[in-house]
Amino acid sequence: MSASNDYSQKPYRGYIVAFVMDYPYNIGDSLRYVLIDATQLSKLFIGRETVLGADTPSLLMRNDDALLYLSVVDRGRWSLEPICG
């Protein structure tokens, strides 16, 4: 998994992306999946629609459950919000 932020045009967006590779570091032939579009899910994450940037994705294990932990930057108020789901 990787976090990426798109500053090419407004609205700026933050993504969590998953890569599936045949072998390590083979980015060129990897499959890419957008797991989270932070801006699109802003209402779910922080209760209102705003432009969010996503960062620091990590998997946390709880028994047999995998939890995705990440933080999002609210660019409207420039605050940092941790998310776990």
Side-chain angles (χ1 to χ4, degrees), residues 64-85:
D64 292 332
D65 296 327
L67 303 175
L68 179 61
Y69 174 87
L70 65 138
S71 59
V72 294
V73 177
D74 180 351
R75 292 195 179 95
R77 298 180 182 175
W78 288 104
S79 60
L80 186 66
E81 306 282 343
I83 307 293
C84 190

Side-chain angles (χ1 to χ4, degrees), residues 19-73:
F19 295 88
V20 179
M21 305 175 198
D22 291 335
Y23 53 91
Y25 310 111
N26 181 22
I27 298 295
D29 295 329
S30 67
L31 299 175
R32 298 174 185 124
Y33 300 93
V34 174
L35 299 180
I36 290 177
D37 178 338
T39 295
Q40 182 179 354
L41 296 174
S42 63
K43 195 161 188 179
L44 175 66
F45 285 159
I46 63 172
R48 62 189 172 81
E49 292 185 8
T50 187
V51 176
L52 296 180
D55 202 4
T56 60
S58 301
L59 282 177
L60 304 177
M61 300 305 297
R62 182 180 62 191
N63 298 325
D64 292 332
D65 296 327
L67 303 175
L68 179 61
Y69 174 87
L70 65 138
S71 59
V72 294
V73 177

